[in-house]
Amino acid sequence: MGMLKGFTVPKSPFGQAALTPPPPWHYAGDAVGVEFWTDPDATAATLPTGLMQDPKSNGHAVMMFLDWQFTAQDDEHLEPARYQYREAFVLVDAMYRDVPVMWCPYIYVDNDAALARGWTQGFPKKMGSIFQTRSFAASGPAAAPLAAGSRFGASLSAHGQRLAEACVTLDRPVENGMALLSRPTVLLRYFPRLAAGYQDKPAVNELAMSMTDHLTVAGAWIGTGELNFGDANGEELRALAPNRIESGFRYSLSYSVSDLKILEDRSS
Amino acid sequence: MGMLKGFTVPKSPFGQAALTPPPPWHYAGDAVGVEFWTDPDATAATLPTGLMQDPKSNGHAVMMFLDWQFTAQDDEHLEPARYQYREAFVLVDAMYRDVPVMWCPYIYVDNDAALARGWTQGFPKKMGSIFQTRSFAASGPAAAPLAAGSRFGASLSAHGQRLAEACVTLDRPVENGMALLSRPTVLLRYFPRLAAGYQDKPAVNELAMSMTDHLTVAGAWIGTGELNFGDANGEELRALAPNRIESGFRYSLSYSVSDLKILEDRSS
Amino acid sequence: MGMLKGFTVPKSPFGQAALTPPPPWHYAGDAVGVEFWTDPDATAATLPTGLMQDPKSNGHAVMMFLDWQFTAQDDEHLEPARYQYREAFVLVDAMYRDVPVMWCPYIYVDNDAALARGWTQGFPKKMGSIFQTRSFAASGPAAAPLAAGSRFGASLSAHGQRLAEACVTLDRPVENGMALLSRPTVLLRYFPRLAAGYQDKPAVNELAMSMTDHLTVAGAWIGTGELNFGDANGEELRALAPNRIESGFRYSLSYSVSDLKILEDRSS
Amino acid sequence: MGMLKGFTVPKSPFGQAALTPPPPWHYAGDAVGVEFWTDPDATAATLPTGLMQDPKSNGHAVMMFLDWQFTAQDDEHLEPARYQYREAFVLVDAMYRDVPVMWCPYIYVDNDAALARGWTQGFPKKMGSIFQTRSFAASGPAAAPLAAGSRFGASLSAHGQRLAEACVTLDRPVENGMALLSRPTVLLRYFPRLAAGYQDKPAVNELAMSMTDHLTVAGAWIGTGELNFGDANGEELRALAPNRIESGFRYSLSYSVSDLKILEDRSS
């Protein structure tokens, strides 16, 4: 007894039942996204203690839709029913001390392993239904090639309600796709207590910075974008609805995760 | 900044976006279950530090399938698309010091709010697809009445693989349905660290005891049962496959949750 | 070769692979519904050749949400993962010759066996996600008892978009629940041709009347209702949005199906 | 009244509610497949009247898994939540008169528009859950490049039960990918009657040959394969379990559909 294994619950005799295999975690995917400006008060209202508004880019945000493939050390990418997934999230500009960063207030995935990994990083993942137009190698009216004028739709729904819809029209390739990912992402690792009298004293309350190894961007294109947010009980994404669209983009990316940087620990 | 609200992530300006509303949490549901005996070494191997085998009931376990309705303080039961859910779990007999308890090694739900509540209690919830035969008030061949000889099927799948199948045949009503729930449930609240060098030093590692208010059982019947566990990558439920079936049962139940008792804190 | 069995496709050597077992089909379920009035031109526009508006109830309609259990001859109700399902549909008043009937323009289910049965009857089923508040026997804040003032929510979504939301508040029991089902339902059995030049000459185009055996209603309550329809590409339900709500209701029902009455055959 | 529009049900005032837009239908996708040999009696037992065994390739079959993007005339590929889908099917060798063909006994999709199109062509589609390993442009451990030694997993489940699992290991590119698609596919268009006394006299019972325009294959690779079929109530795919694997392959393809060739009409 007591020799349970596994990086997350459920801890089990052989460590095979855990929601996710242990890191390092490897990802490859396609991203469709829209860069936009929203009400600066709305982005500011989502920031946790420790982050400040970025005075140079108040209200600047990005909405991303991702088709992901995941693997760890055991060829998990060969079990796509269990480990392939889709994701959508919004990032808003912020400052951590004097470092320009992005903060992730809302994120959705369609897979429980991804949800569990996200929680341990500080991504506040909920379950959603996410789709993006894909690009296929065999040409034809349904293929959506990577070419000027090609369009990519994307949507996010949760519990049968549409939360976001986007459409991106490609204009030109981006020389340095990595430039689209210039700021680090700051996250909130948070795990509450349920014991009476302690429900406002979280067991974990840490400001963290996402760390990625071997980040690679391929096939990046930029163009124009459309983005709309819908309303739903139990959601607050709508408060970040775009005032102005900056651009739309699409690229493939890959990276690995084996670490996390804890910036501040406010656990009680 | 810093005034984010919500019992769980995502913390948000109005506290509406959190995965679950704050406690008290109220539940009503129907349970189909099978009481069985499995390999005592297999149940012992699932126990966390702090629990011991129960020498009087080594290998005794219960598999439960539940259709749940949930509400908190805002009529959440009127939004069934977001808050109604289904659940399946296994409990095994154990001892906490000199108290006979049940331990929950594996549990599955089809709803993210339920998953989040579960994690905060120590239920190691993963996503699954759960179904049970229901009893309807209008009689006929499909109605499955609460009557001797009536049968109730149930199943659990995860990621397209069948993990458990059960069938219960009702024999007789149970005078005191509460007797079916005589032991408290012990759980493991667990939240890992991802920072390199700390991945085996969980931020939260607490042995907890589930606390329920106003527990009510109605319409309890007992009879015979069948139960089979299937194999799947990423799961270890199969190790608890039944050697012998003790009984099958079905009842309705309700309770509320507003507290949790922490038994031991091994957080590092 | 050529001895394939099964009531529907896929036809197979043992007839076990067909989407649905053959009739008789037995159903038991719970219904939450709203009776309402909409634009008479909108209901008239949904009627097929052979049906006329009912001059006494132009624009009268009912929206129904159902939790169904199904069985045929092989205890299918013991396999709820495959055969239990949920449904939502709208019925509008019409006349077939001098017979007052109801016509079903739109209907959604979350199960392919139900979809296949529906098509053979003339129900134009699409896939959707349907939920209703349930009533549980163990009392408590989440139980939604059958009692005055009790409320039942319901919703329909398709492809991540909310198409309908309802809420019913019970006021009083209905003595004769069968009175809620006084008109027969008329349907359109329709199967197109795909061969070039014949795509507007359907292989099957029959006006049919639904026939039910052993129709039973239990636990009927009537009260007030709310109903809202949402907009979505690929849907026209919104055109039937309520102008005025007549009532809300909830009941359990059961019936069997083994026949269909063909009223008119316009197959080409 | 009577001016309803739409290629399939539901017929509606504006023709927007139909399960699928009218042809021409355009497809682009990625295929992972395994070519194999099974019991010749098992393949023969799936053949409808009008098809004979192919004496040169008794028991030869192909299992395919496809990720599909669909569009018709209204940019449906920009609504991936509604129109993107996944598919799995098995084809077996057969003879139609003196023409070598393939026959499709079983096929699964995860989308109702695809199911409806399939039925009108004669594909006996049921709902399933299908996944395949994808190849992403940004390199890394999760990217599954098109390269010798790269592996692609695939699976099919229905109602929570695993029906098929495959794994393909790429060995070498195929010069002429079209050679992988050399035989036409024969299908059974079938729509039953429900009226008592006519339930064995289908309204539509036509042997048909699939017709594709602008068929394109890109990026074809061939190699080795693994394939296993699981058992499930309500399915007969297992009877076609492989005796010997011939090869595994992966390619991208696209084509359009605007016609169907009816070979024989046995409608009653």
Side-chain angles (χ1 to χ4, degrees):
Chain A
M1 284 161 291
M3 300 303 290
L4 297 177
K5 297 174 185 164
F7 178 65
T8 65
V9 291
K11 309 283 284 186
S12 63
F14 294 94
Q16 298 298 311
L19 270 154
T20 181
W25 299 325
H26 309 290
Y27 300 87
D30 288 338
V32 170
V34 176
E35 186 187 353
F36 65 100
W37 297 83
T38 182
D39 177 0
D41 290 343
T43 56
T46 72
L47 300 181
T49 301
L51 293 188
M52 304 291 289
Q53 286 183 263
D54 182 341
K56 296 182 186 161
S57 60
N58 257 334
H60 182 254
V62 177
M63 182 79 198
M64 301 274 283
F65 302 85
L66 292 122
D67 276 16
W68 280 123
Q69 193 152 269
F70 164 84
T71 199
Q73 279 51 254
D74 198 23
D75 286 333
E76 284 81 359
H77 64 292
L78 302 183
E79 285 194 77
R82 188 172 279 268
Y83 292 112
Q84 203 179 82
Y85 68 104
R86 287 162 167 167
E87 186 172 82
F89 58 82
V90 63
L91 300 175
V92 303
D93 280 18
M95 296 296 291
Y96 173 66
R97 300 182 181 173
D98 56 353
V99 182
V101 301
M102 300 206 84
W103 157 249
C104 179
Y106 309 118
I107 178 169
Y108 301 81
V109 290
D110 64 0
N111 175 273
D112 57 353
L115 186 141
R117 285 191 302 272
W119 280 35
T120 68
Q121 293 174 278
F123 283 107
K125 292 185 182 181
K126 300 168 74 171
M127 298 298 284
S129 177
I130 302 105
F131 289 90
Q132 66 173 255
T133 303
R134 293 172 53 180
S135 186
F136 288 94
S139 62
L146 294 188
S150 210
R151 285 188 291 162
F152 293 81
S155 64
L156 161 66
S157 296
H159 300 290
Q161 292 181 280
R162 184 62 49 87
L163 301 186
E165 289 182 339
C167 191
V168 168
T169 304
L170 305 188
D171 182 55
R172 60 194 184 281
V174 176
E175 286 289 316
N176 176 14
M178 295 291 286
L180 297 170
L181 301 165
S182 54
R183 291 174 172 225
T185 302
V186 172
L187 302 160
L188 184 70
R189 271 173 51 90
Y190 188 94
F191 197 75
R193 283 195 173 88
L194 180 58
Y198 293 85
Q199 293 174 3
D200 57 352
K201 294 181 175 55
V204 180
N205 187 17
E206 302 169 337
L207 206 63
M209 184 175 285
S210 177
M211 301 186 68
T212 55
D213 302 323
H214 311 303
L215 179 61
T216 303
V217 171
W221 281 70
I222 195 165
T224 55
E226 302 162 52
L227 179 65
N228 290 289
F229 289 166
D231 211 2
N233 254 355
E235 306 292 345
E236 297 188 35
L237 178 62
R238 179 67 172 275
L240 300 175
N243 290 335
R244 183 166 64 84
I245 303 296
E246 180 75 28
S247 69
F249 55 85
R250 186 196 182 278
Y251 54 80
S252 297
L253 76 164
S254 63
Y255 59 83
S256 299
V257 170
S258 60
D259 195 1
L260 184 76
K261 183 174 179 179
I262 303 301
L263 302 176
E264 302 182 4
D265 186 350
R266 296 191 173 78
S267 307
S268 39
Chain B
M1 283 161 288
M3 302 302 291
L4 296 177
K5 297 174 185 165
F7 178 65
T8 65
V9 293
K11 310 283 284 185
S12 62
F14 295 93
Q16 297 300 310
L19 270 153
T20 180
W25 299 324
H26 308 291
Y27 300 87
D30 288 340
V32 170
V34 175
E35 185 187 354
F36 65 100
W37 298 83
T38 183
D39 177 359
D41 290 343
T43 55
T46 72
L47 300 181
T49 302
L51 293 188
M52 303 292 289
Q53 287 183 263
D54 181 341
K56 297 182 186 162
S57 59
N58 257 334
H60 182 254
V62 177
M63 181 79 197
M64 301 274 282
F65 302 85
L66 292 123
D67 277 14
W68 281 121
Q69 192 152 270
F70 165 83
T71 198
Q73 280 49 253
D74 198 23
D75 286 333
E76 284 80 1
H77 65 293
L78 301 183
E79 285 193 78
R82 188 172 278 266
Y83 292 112
Q84 203 179 82
Y85 69 104
R86 288 163 166 166
E87 185 173 83
F89 58 83
V90 62
L91 299 174
V92 304
D93 279 18
M95 296 297 290
Y96 173 67
R97 299 181 181 173
D98 57 353
V99 182
V101 300
M102 301 207 83
W103 157 248
C104 179
Y106 309 119
I107 179 169
Y108 301 80
V109 290
D110 63 2
N111 175 273
D112 57 353
L115 185 141
R117 285 192 302 271
W119 279 35
T120 68
Q121 293 174 279
F123 283 107
K125 293 185 181 180
K126 300 168 73 171
M127 298 297 285
S129 176
I130 303 105
F131 289 90
Q132 66 173 256
T133 303
R134 294 172 54 179
S135 185
F136 289 94
S139 62
L146 294 188
S150 210
R151 285 189 291 163
F152 293 80
S155 64
L156 161 67
S157 296
H159 301 289
Q161 292 181 281
R162 184 61 51 88
L163 302 185
E165 289 182 338
C167 191
V168 167
T169 304
L170 304 188
D171 182 55
R172 60 194 184 281
V174 176
E175 286 290 316
N176 177 15
M178 295 291 286
L180 297 170
L181 301 165
S182 54
R183 290 173 174 226
T185 303
V186 172
L187 302 160
L188 184 69
R189 270 173 51 90
Y190 188 93
F191 196 76
R193 284 197 173 87
L194 179 58
Y198 294 84
Q199 292 173 4
D200 57 353
K201 294 181 175 55
V204 180
N205 188 15
E206 302 169 337
L207 207 62
M209 183 175 286
S210 176
M211 302 186 68
T212 55
D213 302 324
H214 312 301
L215 180 59
T216 304
V217 171
W221 282 69
I222 196 165
T224 55
E226 303 162 51
L227 179 65
N228 290 289
F229 290 165
D231 210 2
N233 254 354
E235 306 291 345
E236 296 188 35
L237 178 61
R238 179 67 172 274
L240 301 175
N243 290 336
R244 184 167 62 84
I245 303 296
E246 181 75 29
S247 69
F249 55 85
R250 186 196 182 278
Y251 54 80
S252 298
L253 77 163
S254 63
Y255 60 82
S256 299
V257 170
S258 60
D259 195 2
L260 184 76
K261 183 174 179 180
I262 304 302
L263 302 176
E264 301 183 3
D265 186 349
R266 295 192 174 77
S267 305
S268 42
Chain C
M1 284 160 288
M3 301 302 291
L4 297 177
K5 296 173 186 164
F7 178 65
T8 65
V9 292
K11 310 283 283 186
S12 63
F14 295 94
Q16 297 299 310
L19 270 154
T20 182
W25 299 325
H26 309 290
Y27 301 88
D30 288 340
V32 170
V34 175
E35 186 188 354
F36 66 100
W37 298 84
T38 182
D39 178 359
D41 291 343
T43 55
T46 71
L47 299 181
T49 301
L51 293 187
M52 304 291 291
Q53 287 182 262
D54 182 342
K56 296 182 187 162
S57 59
N58 258 335
H60 182 255
V62 178
M63 183 78 198
M64 301 274 283
F65 302 85
L66 292 123
D67 276 16
W68 280 122
Q69 193 152 271
F70 164 83
T71 198
Q73 279 50 252
D74 199 23
D75 286 333
E76 283 81 358
H77 65 292
L78 301 182
E79 286 194 77
R82 188 172 280 267
Y83 292 112
Q84 204 179 82
Y85 68 104
R86 287 162 167 167
E87 186 173 82
F89 58 82
V90 63
L91 299 174
V92 304
D93 279 17
M95 296 296 291
Y96 173 67
R97 299 184 182 171
D98 56 353
V99 182
V101 300
M102 300 207 84
W103 158 249
C104 179
Y106 308 118
I107 178 168
Y108 301 80
V109 291
D110 64 0
N111 174 273
D112 56 354
L115 185 141
R117 285 192 302 273
W119 280 35
T120 69
Q121 293 174 279
F123 283 107
K125 292 185 182 179
K126 300 168 74 170
M127 298 299 283
S129 177
I130 301 105
F131 290 90
Q132 65 173 256
T133 303
R134 293 173 54 178
S135 185
F136 288 94
S139 62
L146 295 188
S150 210
R151 283 188 293 163
F152 293 81
S155 64
L156 162 66
S157 296
H159 300 290
Q161 292 181 282
R162 185 62 48 88
L163 302 185
E165 290 182 338
C167 191
V168 167
T169 304
L170 303 188
D171 181 55
R172 61 194 183 281
V174 176
E175 286 290 316
N176 177 14
M178 294 291 287
L180 297 170
L181 301 165
S182 55
R183 292 174 172 223
T185 303
V186 172
L187 302 161
L188 184 69
R189 272 173 50 88
Y190 188 93
F191 197 75
R193 284 197 172 88
L194 179 58
Y198 294 85
Q199 293 172 2
D200 57 353
K201 294 182 176 55
V204 179
N205 189 16
E206 301 169 338
L207 207 62
M209 184 176 284
S210 176
M211 302 185 68
T212 55
D213 302 323
H214 312 300
L215 180 60
T216 304
V217 171
W221 282 69
I222 195 165
T224 55
E226 302 162 52
L227 180 65
N228 290 290
F229 289 165
D231 210 1
N233 254 353
E235 305 293 344
E236 297 187 34
L237 178 63
R238 179 67 173 275
L240 300 176
N243 290 336
R244 183 165 63 84
I245 303 297
E246 180 74 29
S247 69
F249 55 85
R250 187 196 182 278
Y251 54 81
S252 298
L253 77 164
S254 63
Y255 60 83
S256 299
V257 169
S258 61
D259 195 1
L260 185 75
K261 183 175 179 180
I262 304 302
L263 302 176
E264 300 182 5
D265 186 349
R266 296 191 173 78
S267 306
S268 41
Chain D
M1 284 159 286
M3 301 302 291
L4 297 176
K5 296 173 185 165
F7 178 65
T8 65
V9 292
K11 309 284 283 186
S12 63
F14 295 94
Q16 296 299 310
L19 270 154
T20 181
W25 299 325
H26 308 291
Y27 300 88
D30 287 340
V32 170
V34 175
E35 186 187 353
F36 66 101
W37 298 84
T38 182
D39 178 358
D41 290 343
T43 55
T46 72
L47 300 181
T49 302
L51 293 187
M52 304 290 290
Q53 289 182 262
D54 182 341
K56 296 182 186 162
S57 59
N58 258 335
H60 181 255
V62 177
M63 182 78 196
M64 302 273 283
F65 302 85
L66 292 122
D67 276 16
W68 280 122
Q69 193 152 269
F70 165 83
T71 198
Q73 279 51 253
D74 199 23
D75 287 333
E76 283 81 0
H77 64 292
L78 301 183
E79 285 193 78
R82 188 172 279 265
Y83 292 112
Q84 203 178 82
Y85 68 104
R86 287 161 168 169
E87 186 172 82
F89 58 82
V90 63
L91 299 174
V92 303
D93 280 17
M95 297 295 292
Y96 172 67
R97 300 183 182 173
D98 56 353
V99 181
V101 300
M102 301 208 83
W103 158 249
C104 178
Y106 308 118
I107 178 168
Y108 302 80
V109 291
D110 64 0
N111 174 273
D112 56 354
L115 185 142
R117 285 192 302 272
W119 280 36
T120 69
Q121 293 173 278
F123 283 106
K125 292 185 182 179
K126 299 168 75 170
M127 297 299 283
S129 178
I130 302 106
F131 290 89
Q132 65 172 258
T133 302
R134 293 172 55 179
S135 185
F136 287 93
S139 62
L146 295 187
S150 210
R151 284 188 292 162
F152 292 81
S155 64
L156 161 66
S157 295
H159 301 290
Q161 292 180 282
R162 185 60 49 89
L163 302 185
E165 290 182 339
C167 191
V168 167
T169 303
L170 304 189
D171 181 56
R172 60 192 184 283
V174 176
E175 285 290 316
N176 176 14
M178 295 291 286
L180 297 170
L181 301 165
S182 55
R183 292 175 171 223
T185 303
V186 172
L187 302 160
L188 183 70
R189 272 173 51 88
Y190 188 94
F191 196 75
R193 283 197 174 87
L194 180 58
Y198 293 84
Q199 293 173 3
D200 58 352
K201 293 179 177 58
V204 180
N205 189 16
E206 301 168 339
L207 207 63
M209 184 175 285
S210 176
M211 301 185 69
T212 54
D213 302 323
H214 312 301
L215 179 61
T216 304
V217 171
W221 281 70
I222 196 165
T224 55
E226 302 162 52
L227 179 65
N228 290 290
F229 289 165
D231 211 1
N233 255 353
E235 306 292 344
E236 297 188 33
L237 178 63
R238 181 64 173 276
L240 301 175
N243 290 337
R244 183 165 66 82
I245 303 297
E246 180 74 29
S247 69
F249 55 85
R250 187 197 182 276
Y251 55 80
S252 297
L253 78 163
S254 63
Y255 60 82
S256 299
V257 169
S258 60
D259 195 2
L260 184 75
K261 184 174 179 179
I262 304 302
L263 302 176
E264 300 183 4
D265 186 348
R266 294 190 175 78
S267 306
S268 41

